[in-house]
Amino acid sequence: MSELDEWVAEVAAELGLGDVEVPTKAVLDVARDVAHNVLRPGAPVSAYLLGLAVAAGADPADAAQRISALALRRAAPGN
């Protein structure tokens, strides 16, 4: 288990989430895409919004892909 996996498990336990599956790669990819293509402070806020969308029933992979695609469109020439 990686240090990140250990941290995620510890936070999940602290928040009473139990043995929840966290798509860490998708969350990190979203944060990277937003930080590099939109603005750095948008990364953690976008990750939070991803969490809200998933809590409301969105598919984690789909929601992450949509946020990353939006960030990449913002960075495209002419935008």
Side-chain angles (χ1 to χ4, degrees), residues 13-54:
E14 178 67 24
L15 296 177
L17 299 175
D19 192 23
V20 65
E21 184 176 328
V22 179
T24 53
K25 183 181 179 333
V27 174
L28 293 173
D29 287 348
V30 163
R32 178 201 62 221
D33 291 342
V34 173
H36 291 177
N37 297 295
V38 183
L39 70 160
R40 290 183 64 82
V45 175
S46 296
Y48 179 78
L49 291 169
L50 173 61
L52 290 177
V54 171

